[in-house]
Amino acid sequence: MDIVNQLQRQFIDHSTSLHREGIVDDQFTELQKLQDENSPDFVVEVVSLFFEDSEKLLNNMARALEQAQGVDFKQVDASVHQLKGSSSSIGAMRVKNACIAFRSFCEAQNREGCLRCLQKVTHEYSLLKNKLQSLFRLEQQILAAGGSIPVAK
Amino acid sequence: MVLGNGASSSSLNMKSGEDKVNSNKNLSVLVVDDDPLIRMLHDMHLKKFGLNPQVVEDGKKAVDLFRIGASFDLILMDKEMPVMNGVEATKELRDMGINSMIVGVTSRGLEIEMQDFMESGLDFCFEKPLTPDMITFLLNELNKKNDDDNND
């Protein structure tokens, strides 16, 4: 019982800090609410898909910005737009905001600005990924210890 | 949110949870979006309301379904898609005489872009992401529409 309580408290703390630091917003809570006994792995599935997609998109952006013969800003923008859409849909607020800033530099065709934004988006993405993976690990530990996962308010 | 002609945002009748799920079982929904993540999310959101959506990845697939005789009460249409985008698909469906409720769900929130999309024949246009409140609103509108159709 002690272990479960401890883990549950850690889970709540972790969840709260994710929201407080603006790493995720209400959309993520909505996502968690969609999970139920019929789809117990829904959040992990959606987030895993998001990780896969995001890494592809970040690679696309990096490659497009590396082109010595001239950057195709439309292509960069298309990838940023997609990342903005998916991050918004799962509630990854800081990634989404980094994408919004990124798009202005694409529009201005400013390579230096774009490279800085790519760095920022990559940083926010890595932060999100680490934090969510920790959250999922805590969930697994709680379940393994026979406890239940505290419900998001 | 942008409302089309004939739409009103009158107060919603909140049915109880079970009523809600049961009365929605007769409604057919089609989700049209090129992003598998969005398709997964919208599918799950709709399932929570007792709906069992069909899901396709571009406008042409949506139009083809109607051509072979399928019909849906509600279509959730993304704007940016390959092969045939949301604007083209909506125009095509309206030209075919399709009367279903078509709702644009777009990640481009600019007023002018939503207006363009609306003009292709949408009933409503929302900015992504889809939320339970939007679904509640749409289902309410659908029930009103079906009542009207039945009274003709």
Side-chain angles (χ1 to χ4, degrees), chain A residues 31 34 36 39 81 86 89, chain B residues 37-38 41 44 48 107-108 129:
Chain A
L31 189 71
L34 287 177
D36 60 20
S39 334
H81 168 71
S86 48
S89 297
Chain B
L37 187 72
I38 301 292
L41 283 173
M44 189 55 110
K48 282 285 175 175
S107 47
R108 300 206 187 250

Side-chain angles (χ1 to χ4, degrees), chain B:
Chain B
M1 192 183 91
V2 180
L3 299 183
N5 289 333
S8 65
S9 47
S10 49
S11 62
L12 301 174
N13 290 327
M14 293 304 289
K15 299 186 178 177
S16 77
E18 246 195 61
D19 282 351
K20 190 166 68 175
V21 168
N22 285 332
S23 68
N24 291 334
K25 282 207 169 90
N26 308 323
L27 294 174
S28 54
V29 185
L30 178 66
V31 174
V32 191
D33 199 303
D34 64 333
D35 186 346
L37 187 72
I38 301 292
R39 289 199 300 270
M40 202 190 272
L41 283 173
H42 286 184
D43 181 66
M44 189 55 110
H45 266 120
L46 293 165
K47 281 198 162 99
K48 282 285 175 175
F49 281 80
L51 296 159
N52 199 8
Q54 199 159 333
V55 179
V56 293
E57 72 240 30
D58 64 55
K60 181 162 191 306
K61 292 213 161 75
V63 170
D64 286 346
L65 277 176
F66 277 90
R67 281 200 199 287
I68 62 168
S71 82
F72 298 92
D73 296 300
L74 172 64
I75 305 170
L76 292 177
M77 184 81 79
D78 183 25
K79 192 180 187 210
E80 317 284 330
M81 292 180 287
V83 186
M84 186 189 284
N85 67 32
V87 172
E88 294 164 347
T90 305
K91 283 196 184 139
E92 186 80 21
L93 289 171
R94 293 307 189 202
D95 284 345
M96 284 163 65
I98 302 298
N99 223 8
S100 313
M101 182 175 289
I102 308 183
V103 176
V105 187
T106 169
S107 47
R108 300 206 187 250
L110 290 176
E111 197 63 45
I112 179 124
E113 299 209 31
M114 285 171 95
Q115 275 302 133
D116 282 347
F117 201 3
M118 282 297 297
E119 276 162 28
S120 65
L122 297 178
D123 292 287
F124 305 101
C125 192
F126 292 109
E127 205 179 329
K128 277 182 205 176
L130 195 68
T131 65
D133 284 347
M134 289 175 189
I135 300 177
T136 303
F137 170 80
L138 289 175
L139 291 175
N140 223 52
E141 291 295 318
L142 259 179
N143 283 327
K144 274 196 261 165
K145 178 173 188 274
N146 285 344
D147 285 344
D148 285 346
D149 287 348
N150 288 338
N151 291 338
D152 281 343

Side-chain angles (χ1 to χ4, degrees), chain A residues 107-122:
Chain A
E107 229 169 301
Q109 309 215 340
N110 180 335
R111 187 167 175 269
E112 280 313 304
C114 282
L115 285 168
R116 275 196 308 270
C117 285
L118 178 59
Q119 218 175 26
K120 173 95 172 128
V121 173
T122 306

Side-chain angles (χ1 to χ4, degrees), chain A residues 11-49:
Chain A
F11 177 86
I12 294 176
D13 285 345
H14 197 72
S15 228
T16 310
S17 82
L18 273 170
H19 284 270
R20 194 183 49 236
E21 291 168 32
I23 295 178
V24 301
D25 60 24
D26 287 339
Q27 200 51 30
F28 185 70
T29 311
E30 287 301 327
L31 189 71
Q32 289 174 307
K33 285 190 201 163
L34 287 177
Q35 184 163 294
D36 60 20
E37 324 73 58
N38 296 328
S39 334
D41 300 315
F42 181 67
V43 179
V44 171
E45 281 172 11
V46 171
V47 172
S48 301
L49 187 57

Side-chain angles (χ1 to χ4, degrees), chain A residues 113-145:
Chain A
C114 282
L115 285 168
R116 275 196 308 270
C117 285
L118 178 59
Q119 218 175 26
K120 173 95 172 128
V121 173
T122 306
H123 169 78
E124 293 298 347
Y125 169 75
S126 301
L127 189 64
L128 172 79
K129 186 170 180 185
N130 282 337
K131 298 252 173 177
L132 285 181
Q133 285 177 332
S134 298
L135 193 72
F136 294 149
R137 258 196 308 272
L138 277 168
E139 280 185 355
Q140 289 311 305
Q141 286 174 317
I142 293 173
L143 291 173

